[in-house]
Amino acid sequence: MDSFYDFGPEWAQKLRRRCEQKIPDIVAEVGGRVLSTTDGPLVWVQRGAPVLAVVHMDFVPVQHKWGFDEKRGRVWTPRLDDRMGLFVLLDVLPALGVHVDLLLTDSEEVGRSTARYFTDELKNCGLLDAHPYNWCVQFDRRGDDVVLYDYEASTAWESALAGHGFKIGCGSFSDISSLTDLGVCAVNIGCGYHHEHSTRCYGEISELARNVSLFESFYRDHSGKRFEYTEAMRDDYYSRSYGSYGRGYDSVAWKRGDDIGYPSGHLTDDDAAERSLRHWREVEGGWENTSTGEFFRTPDRLGGDAPHDTSTDEYCVVCGEGRRWWDIDSVTGVCDDCYAIAEIEAEERIDAERAEADRLLLGFDDKRAPSDDGADGFDDSLNGGCSDGQVS
């Protein structure tokens, strides 16, 4: 098999298997100590490693699709959050010779991660103070940045990650947020997926590979160093950050802003949405976030509607149909079905324009081979000709 960094059909098959694997089968495969909770299983696999790697096995139940475009280096499936992380921990890191202990959780997507039972279990076993971990890692983040949550209180931890090439962002919650009682720092690393919790979810292999490569070298350099995290460190950090002396929030994450471009730590629930929209301005082809530089492309078919307040996004602004929250884009207020149609139409228009340009400039028509484009949004000619978008 090719190296992970030469990601091809065999690696795509491995990723697809993880995306379709049932939780009981995952638990049976990894072995380890299984704790059954009211929120699902918690699995601890001890291998004597100095680093604990965390991943949640559940995903938002959106209709499953699969597509792989080797030329573009992209996969499509709504289950990448967080089956991409599972793939990294169970397939990629072992292939690279990186060995970690594992903590597999459930119910993260509904805010009841079974990771919150872990420290109590260690206390019951008398292992909390004696646990061997120097720090923790999770691959459960969109895009290519990393987030620290409360662990940014450790300047040594944040500096080590930033100094190693990781881009520090800001996030809200994942499993490692429930592990602060372990007394060591943790980081959540971007897996390259985008538009999670929707049928438009896709993964950029180049972004995943970049962060895996950074982690591989970071692990070899820092796995033997303990990065401590304490309540006193946290309290001192927040006292300095939010104190009455006007020093402001000092972390890299605050300077970048939160996911919608506004440092929401100083906002009330009533004014957060309204004030966050001030960071968006309409530009050609979409909307730009003046705080983070993020660009959101708006397909021509959808017009130039401004970002929407997620508290009122219950109906699609294009078709008017009522949708579940995860089927409505939090920026545009457009449902996944309408967005998919617009994306397909835009791609078809671009292809037609390129073909016409080739004909005029080069003197020939570059006609594409027939395919069933549009049936599921994937070009099946790129997947070995499989009619259902499967990798051959």
Side-chain angles (χ1 to χ4, degrees):
M1 175 180 290
D2 292 337
S3 163
F4 162 73
Y5 296 113
D6 299 319
F7 196 96
E10 290 181 90
W11 280 101
Q13 286 281 29
K14 284 180 173 288
L15 174 56
R16 180 175 186 175
R17 173 177 175 263
R18 294 304 179 190
C19 290
E20 297 179 348
Q21 195 172 18
K22 298 183 183 300
I23 289 180
D25 294 334
I26 298 171
V27 174
E29 177 185 338
V30 301
R33 181 183 300 183
V34 181
L35 175 66
S36 297
T37 78
T38 57
D39 297 309
L42 177 68
V43 186
W44 184 24
V45 182
Q46 297 171 274
R47 298 168 173 169
V51 172
L52 180 66
V54 188
V55 64
H56 66 85
M57 299 176 285
D58 59 312
F59 49 80
V60 173
V62 179
Q63 181 182 8
H64 177 56
K65 293 182 178 180
W66 171 263
F68 170 51
D69 185 335
E70 184 173 4
K71 185 176 181 179
R72 296 171 67 186
R74 181 177 287 189
V75 296
W76 291 265
T77 174
R79 300 183 180 182
L80 293 178
D81 179 7
D82 186 30
R83 292 305 179 86
M84 186 75 95
L86 188 73
F87 166 69
V88 170
L89 298 191
L90 299 189
D91 298 296
V92 177
L93 294 188
L96 297 175
V98 177
H99 301 290
V100 292
D101 280 14
L102 299 175
L103 189 68
L104 280 64
T105 75
D106 195 4
S107 297
E108 190 272 351
E109 295 291 4
V110 293
R112 298 184 60 83
S113 169
T114 55
R116 62 200 180 100
Y117 296 99
F118 185 55
T119 53
D120 286 340
E121 181 68 9
L122 290 180
K123 289 178 183 178
N124 294 336
C125 298
L127 299 175
L128 182 59
D129 295 331
H131 76 79
Y133 304 119
N134 291 328
W135 44 274
C136 304
V137 63
Q138 181 159 17
F139 283 83
D140 177 33
R141 170 69 175 170
R142 75 169 72 90
D144 63 351
D145 63 0
V146 305
V147 291
L148 307 182
Y149 311 117
D150 282 352
Y151 303 105
E152 64 191 3
S154 169
T155 55
W157 181 235
E158 186 172 16
S159 297
L161 290 164
H164 209 80
F166 285 111
K167 296 189 294 185
I168 310 296
C170 184
S172 55
F173 172 82
S174 193
D175 301 282
I176 58 172
S177 302
S178 302
L179 298 178
T180 54
D181 286 346
L182 287 181
V184 295
C185 291
V187 59
N188 187 5
I189 298 178
C191 298
Y193 60 70
H194 300 267
H195 298 305
E196 65 275 15
H197 307 164
S198 78
T199 54
R200 291 185 288 108
C201 183
Y202 67 89
E204 291 284 0
I205 300 303
S206 61
E207 293 181 351
L208 174 66
R210 174 187 180 275
N211 276 353
V212 168
S213 177
L214 288 176
F215 175 75
E216 184 181 8
S217 59
F218 184 85
Y219 179 89
R220 300 193 194 286
D221 291 344
H222 295 287
S223 61
K225 180 178 179 180
R226 183 179 176 89
F227 290 89
E228 294 188 353
Y229 175 82
T230 64
E231 290 187 7
M233 182 186 298
R234 178 198 63 195
D235 294 343
D236 176 66
Y237 173 72
Y238 284 111
S239 175
R240 288 185 288 108
S241 300
Y242 296 103
S244 59
Y245 296 100
R247 295 184 60 183
Y249 198 96
D250 296 327
S251 77
V252 175
W254 178 268
K255 295 172 184 176
R256 291 192 54 187
D258 63 12
D259 291 343
I260 57 176
Y262 198 91
S264 57
H266 286 176
L267 302 181
T268 66
D269 292 339
D270 293 333
D271 64 7
E274 178 184 352
R275 292 175 64 185
S276 67
L277 297 184
R278 296 177 186 175
H279 284 266
W280 290 92
R281 66 186 181 99
E282 189 173 6
V283 296
E284 183 178 357
W287 286 81
E288 180 184 51
N289 191 302
T290 58
S291 175
T292 65
E294 178 185 5
F295 175 74
F296 184 88
R297 184 175 66 82
T298 303
D300 293 343
R301 179 177 181 273
L302 304 182
D305 293 334
H308 285 256
D309 177 0
T310 55
S311 66
T312 63
D313 278 338
E314 298 177 356
Y315 296 90
C316 173
V317 297
V318 175
C319 66
E321 296 291 330
R323 302 290 183 180
R324 295 168 298 179
W325 66 268
W326 56 71
D327 290 329
I328 296 287
D329 190 281
S330 61
V331 176
T332 63
V334 178
C335 74
D336 296 329
D337 291 341
C338 289
Y339 202 104
I341 293 172
E343 289 278 21
I344 293 169
E345 290 176 350
E347 290 181 4
E348 289 176 347
R349 186 187 68 253
I350 292 171
D351 288 342
E353 291 172 352
R354 287 174 177 169
E356 179 65 12
D358 288 342
R359 186 185 69 79
L360 294 175
L361 296 176
L362 304 178
F364 63 88
D365 286 325
D366 185 13
K367 296 181 179 179
R368 299 177 61 189
S371 71
D372 69 344
D373 276 2
D376 56 7
F378 306 134
D379 184 352
D380 294 328
S381 65
L382 297 171
N383 294 318
C386 300
S387 61
D388 62 352
Q390 297 182 9
V391 180
S392 60

